């Protein structure tokens, strides 16, 4: 028995490892550790990361765009950018406002077909502004049987849904994230302009900014450099969005184009869309002392008082994150070809914090 | 009738004797077992290791299952009637990920277990246990099946971690104080095995099946 105890103690002691001081890592090494950790532990097939720091773009690619083939990711690999689409929708709407085509504070009732019944609450009507900053009181989305029901929810479904809908809160009073609310912006812009959401974005945003490979239409997404989406270890089909929901998440893009968009937002004073960009940055609603809503964008005030504009996104097969520090002019884009439970935010925020140190 | 009566009487006598003496026989056997308090054990397990990242909800996503092995050697000590403490040293293959990009992490484990066994006088012995594993990382590799490449990723792991196993199973005597057991167990690390703070990762082992041969040596 004594011998056994001695052996046990020796084994226990042998298991206690001495802590070594790690040498300081370069920014590139730290970003690699952040990204690779998600591949090692997180079942993430591939990650594309772009940073804008001290006026320089750097891109990082890890893992694969397709687990079956092992093909690598590059700056032109196409991803679903998911709900980052909402910031494009807001920018598009801001362009209409700047050009005096629609007032931001107009109520939306007048822009629907006459036989639509648009709900109100406490005598307050939903304005475009409320849809753009998620304070309309319209729920996140209707009770749909599954996520792909986004694809088939048509105008008639919308009419029926709105006719019985009761707003959850008084418009303009509470923040409640709404895919349908943002989807309605795209739907109404199509009605107002007589053009499709895709045509409007191409004409007013993508082409002026030089985002030549960014698309909305599912048919345009077919390239030979698409990332395959994954839900856990299962391959997923590309997400399809009906015109009612398209403005909430339909855009497909790559790191090359998303870095253009990031820089346009950071260096907005030199942008061809300067005035619409400034409009999207305005604080339109305060959730609490650290979280505000712009148009489409969330704005967090970090511990050092810096303004961090951000949006994340996720579909069944893709995850995304974009953020920029309006004070330091640093920014980050993260594109992942799998469903995540918030990892894309962790990666993006961690990198944005790192950029302050280097 | 008379012959039958004789036959019955002929059988009944030894049966009665057996029935009368059976408790004594069992007690004698139990006592024999009880006197032997130290049991040497060799175990082989097949186990399905998984990673759970940031939230337990992560486990609800479709996962590739890949069974890996564990082989261990140790002792069980019975200080009380049916309760035991056990120390097993094992080499355990764990990890997680997809089949195409899989992390294989190998550990040397020192398991301290506490358990309960029903009486060893029975034909089938029920066994339940729980405890703590002290795990020393030997190496970790990220394997890419599509290119047959692998890279050492040990530096992304804490060198030492703990996990809590829980299991139950059955045991039976083969011959001469040699027993065979078959257990089901699960195990989970209580905190992140990843060195990186922004990806909290728990090593889950579920399910695992353990087969062992043991012998009372003292």
């Amino acid at each position: 028995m004594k011998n056994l105890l001695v052996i046990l103690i020796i084994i226990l002691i042998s298991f206690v490892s001495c802590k070594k001081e790690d040498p300081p890592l370069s920014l590139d090494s730290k970003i690699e550790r952040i990204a690779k950790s998600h591949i090692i532990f997180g079942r993430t097939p591939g990650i594309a990361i772009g940073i804008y720091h001290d006026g320089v773009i750097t891109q990082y690619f890890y893992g694969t765009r397709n687990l079956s083939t092992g093909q690598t990711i590059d700056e032109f690999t196409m991803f679903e950018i998911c709900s980052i689409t909402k910031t494009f929708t807001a920018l598009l709407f801001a362009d209409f406002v700047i050009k005096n085509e629609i007032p931001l504070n107009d109520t939306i009732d007048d822009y629907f077909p006459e036989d639509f019944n648009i709900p109100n609450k406490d005598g307050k009507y939903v304005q475009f502004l409320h849809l753009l900053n998620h304070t309309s009181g319209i729920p996140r989305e209707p009770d749909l049987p599954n996520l792909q029901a986004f694809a088939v929810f048509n105008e008639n479904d919308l009419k029926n849904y709105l006719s019985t809908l009761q707003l959850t809160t008084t418009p303009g009073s509470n923040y409640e994230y709404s895919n349908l609310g943002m989807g309605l912006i795209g739907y109404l812009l199509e009605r107002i302009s007589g053009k499709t959401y895709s045509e409007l974005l191409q004409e007013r945003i993508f082409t002026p900014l030089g985002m030549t490979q960014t698309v909305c239409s599912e048919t345009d997404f077919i390239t030979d450099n698409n990332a395959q989406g994954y839900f856990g270890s299962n391959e997923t089909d590309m997400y399809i969005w009906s015109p009612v929901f398209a403005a909430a998440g339909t855009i497909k893009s790559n790191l090359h184009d998303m870095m253009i968009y990031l820089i346009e937002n950071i260096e907005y004073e030199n942008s061809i869309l300067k005035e619409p960009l400034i409009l999207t940055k305005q604080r339109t609603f305060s959730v609490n002392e650290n979280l505000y809503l712009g148009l489409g964008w969330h704005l967090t005030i970090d511990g050092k008082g810096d303004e961090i504009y951000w949006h994340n996104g996720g579909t069944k097969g893709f995850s995304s994150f974009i953020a920029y520090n309006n004070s330091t002019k640093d920014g980050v884009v993260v594109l992942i070809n799998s469903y995540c439970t918030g990892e894309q935010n962790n990666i993006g925020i961690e990198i944005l914090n790192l950029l302050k140190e280097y | 009738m008379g012959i039958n009566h004789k036959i019955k009487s002929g059988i009944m006598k030894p049966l009665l004797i057996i029935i009368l003496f059976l408790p004594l026989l069992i007690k004698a056997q139990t006592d024999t077992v009880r006197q032997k308090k130290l049991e040497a054990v060799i175990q082989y397990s097949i186990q399905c290791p998984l990673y759970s990242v940031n939230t337990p909800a992560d486990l609800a996503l479709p996962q590739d299952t890949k069974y890996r092995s564990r082989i261990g050697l140790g002792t069980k000590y019975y200080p009380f009637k049916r309760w035991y403490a056990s120390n097993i040293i094992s080499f355990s293959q764990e990890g997680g990920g997809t089949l195409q990009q899989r992390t294989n992490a190998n550990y040397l484990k020192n398991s301290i277990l506490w358990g309960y066994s029903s009486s060893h006088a029975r034909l089938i012995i029920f066994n339940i246990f729980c405890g703590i594993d002290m795990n020393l990382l030997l190496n970790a590799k990220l394997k890419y099946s599509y290119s047959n490449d692998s890279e050492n990723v040990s530096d992304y792991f804490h060198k030492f971690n703990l996990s809590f196993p829980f299991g139950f199973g059955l045991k039976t005597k083969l011959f001469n104080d040699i027993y065979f057991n078959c257990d089901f167990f699960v195990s989970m690390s209580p905190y992140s095995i990843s060195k990186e703070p922004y990806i909290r990762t728990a090593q889950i082992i579920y399910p695992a099946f353990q087969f062992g041969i043991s012998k009372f040596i003292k």
Side-chain angles (χ1 to χ4, degrees):
Chain A
M1 193 60 201
K2 228 178 191 178
N3 290 340
L4 187 73
L5 275 173
V6 171
I7 292 167
L8 193 65
I9 288 164
I10 290 168
I11 290 164
L12 281 172
I13 291 168
S14 72
F15 273 21
V16 178
S17 60
C18 297
K19 175 109 180 138
K20 282 189 290 186
E21 281 293 321
D22 292 328
L25 295 174
S26 66
L27 177 63
D28 288 350
S29 302
K30 282 202 171 178
I31 289 174
E32 177 171 323
R33 283 193 73 86
I34 291 168
K36 234 174 191 176
S37 294
H38 287 80
I39 291 177
I40 294 165
F41 299 107
R43 297 192 305 276
T44 304
I47 307 177
I49 296 171
I51 62 167
Y52 183 71
H53 180 49
D54 293 337
V56 177
I57 299 171
T58 314
Q59 296 174 334
Y60 306 85
F61 306 99
Y62 303 97
T64 175
R65 66 180 158 98
N66 189 317
L67 284 169
S68 302
T69 62
Q71 290 161 302
T72 53
I73 297 170
D74 60 36
E75 64 175 319
F76 301 112
T77 302
M78 296 292 285
F79 291 79
E80 292 183 33
I81 66 163
C82 322
S83 286
I84 294 176
T85 299
K86 293 181 176 74
T87 65
F88 284 92
T89 302
L91 181 59
L92 177 63
F93 192 88
D95 190 56
F96 274 81
V97 173
I98 294 297
K99 289 173 179 162
N100 294 317
E101 293 170 85
I102 314 170
L104 181 60
N105 294 318
D106 234 5
T107 56
I108 61 174
D109 306 45
D110 297 339
Y111 297 90
F112 279 92
E114 282 183 3
D115 55 345
F116 271 57
N117 179 31
I118 309 305
N120 60 69
K121 194 174 174 75
D122 302 331
K124 287 209 165 184
Y125 291 83
V126 176
Q127 301 171 2
F128 286 110
L129 171 65
H130 302 146
L131 298 179
L132 288 160
N133 65 11
H134 301 283
T135 60
S136 65
I138 293 174
R140 188 179 179 94
E141 58 242 346
D143 289 330
L144 300 171
N146 57 58
L147 290 172
Q148 278 299 2
F150 278 141
V152 294
F153 193 86
N154 60 27
E155 193 174 28
N156 202 41
D157 295 326
L158 177 65
K159 181 183 157 189
N160 293 335
Y161 177 72
L162 291 177
S163 68
T164 57
L165 174 67
Q166 294 199 331
L167 299 180
T168 54
T169 55
T170 306
S173 66
N174 269 296
Y175 167 71
E176 184 182 357
Y177 190 85
S178 177
N179 283 314
L180 180 59
M182 195 60 78
L184 290 180
I185 292 285
Y187 168 77
L188 292 173
L189 286 179
E190 287 187 347
R191 284 187 53 78
I192 293 163
S193 66
K195 294 179 178 174
T196 66
Y197 175 70
S198 175
E199 286 167 349
L200 288 171
L201 278 176
Q202 285 295 350
E203 186 183 304
R204 295 186 180 225
I205 311 289
F206 299 157
T207 304
L209 297 186
M211 299 172 67
T212 56
Q213 292 160 71
T214 302
V215 294
C216 292
S217 162
E218 284 72 24
T219 49
D220 295 339
F221 186 51
I222 301 163
T223 73
D224 58 358
N225 194 359
N226 289 349
Q228 169 65 52
Y230 291 88
F231 182 68
S233 52
N234 293 353
E235 289 186 0
T236 58
D237 292 332
M238 188 180 57
Y239 231 61
I240 295 170
W241 301 78
S242 77
V244 175
F245 277 105
T250 193
I251 295 176
K252 287 87 184 170
S253 188
N254 56 32
L255 195 59
H256 175 269
D257 278 11
M258 288 304 291
M259 291 309 290
I260 293 174
Y261 182 59
L262 176 72
I263 293 167
E264 289 291 329
N265 274 280
I266 294 172
E267 309 285 5
Y268 60 91
E269 286 177 349
N270 306 320
S271 174
I272 194 168
L273 296 175
K274 177 182 172 183
E275 291 186 358
L277 283 167
I278 290 173
L279 185 57
T280 62
K281 288 168 183 283
Q282 286 185 357
R283 297 183 189 188
T284 60
F285 188 79
S286 168
V287 180
N288 57 49
E289 62 183 16
N290 292 321
L291 180 62
Y292 299 84
L293 274 300
L295 296 185
W297 290 91
H298 294 78
L299 166 59
T300 298
I301 309 301
D302 76 1
K304 291 181 179 171
D306 289 352
E307 291 183 322
I308 312 294
Y309 285 86
W310 61 272
H311 210 294
N312 60 5
T315 61
K316 201 176 175 187
F318 290 87
S319 304
S320 58
F321 183 81
I322 185 169
Y324 62 91
N325 185 324
N326 205 39
S327 312
T328 62
K329 306 285 182 191
D330 292 329
V332 62
V333 172
V334 179
L335 301 173
I336 298 175
N337 59 331
S338 70
Y339 171 85
C340 290
T341 50
E343 291 93 316
Q344 75 274 37
N345 306 344
N346 296 351
I347 295 172
I349 291 165
E350 191 67 27
I351 291 174
L352 206 55
N353 288 335
L354 267 182
L355 296 181
K356 283 187 186 177
E357 298 171 16
Y358 286 85
Chain B
M1 184 71 183
I3 295 167
N4 283 345
H5 179 72
K6 270 185 187 173
I7 291 169
K8 276 183 185 172
S9 301
I11 295 168
M12 284 303 284
K13 266 185 188 175
L15 267 177
L16 277 171
I17 292 167
I18 290 168
I19 290 165
L20 281 171
F21 283 94
L22 190 61
L24 293 174
L25 286 172
I26 289 172
K27 187 166 189 326
Q29 193 181 353
T30 311
D31 287 346
T32 311
V33 172
R34 268 192 218 143
Q35 283 168 9
K36 295 183 176 179
K37 288 188 168 181
L38 193 62
E39 189 180 18
V41 181
I42 182 164
Q43 291 174 336
Y44 173 77
S45 310
I46 51 168
Q47 56 191 15
C48 182
L50 308 165
Y51 287 145
S52 170
V53 174
N54 289 336
T55 159
D58 179 60
L59 288 171
L61 298 178
Q63 308 236 10
D64 287 330
T65 53
K66 183 179 167 80
Y67 281 89
R68 306 199 74 210
S69 299
R70 179 195 295 197
I71 187 155
L73 196 65
T75 54
K76 280 183 181 176
Y77 178 67
Y78 293 79
F80 307 111
K81 201 174 174 184
R82 287 169 187 169
W83 297 92
Y84 67 83
S86 166
N87 179 220
I88 310 283
I89 305 293
S90 56
F91 171 72
S92 180
Q93 298 178 320
E94 301 178 9
T98 61
L99 289 177
Q100 297 90 347
Q101 278 181 173
R102 185 157 191 91
T103 304
N104 289 334
N106 297 325
Y107 291 92
L108 182 63
K109 294 174 98 80
N110 181 13
S111 306
I112 309 288
L113 305 171
W114 296 272
Y116 172 86
S117 275
S118 58
S119 169
H120 277 75
R122 295 174 188 271
L123 180 64
I124 302 292
I125 302 150
F126 176 73
N127 176 37
I128 186 165
F129 60 89
C130 65
I132 185 167
D133 295 334
M134 288 164 277
N135 310 316
L136 179 73
L137 181 78
L138 299 177
N139 62 59
K141 283 185 175 175
L142 179 60
K143 282 189 76 174
Y144 306 97
S145 71
Y146 45 78
S147 63
N148 285 327
D149 288 339
S150 66
E151 64 178 304
N152 189 339
V153 292
S154 303
D155 192 38
Y156 287 79
F157 286 72
H158 285 299
K159 190 79 179 157
F160 178 77
N161 69 65
L162 299 174
S163 56
F164 295 124
F166 166 78
F168 56 88
L170 298 173
K171 186 173 173 183
T172 190
K173 187 173 181 176
L174 295 176
F175 51 85
N176 288 346
D177 272 354
I178 292 180
Y179 291 83
F180 170 76
N181 71 283
C182 176
D183 301 324
F184 169 85
F185 72 92
V186 295
S187 154
M188 185 181 154
S189 57
Y191 57 87
S192 182
I193 60 167
S194 160
K195 258 188 194 172
E196 307 306 322
Y198 33 77
I199 180 154
R200 298 185 311 279
T201 308
Q203 174 77 69
I204 311 281
I205 293 182
Y206 174 82
F209 304 96
Q210 175 173 278
F211 308 97
I213 300 285
S214 59
K215 179 176 169 53
F216 280 94
I217 53 175
K218 205 171 176 184

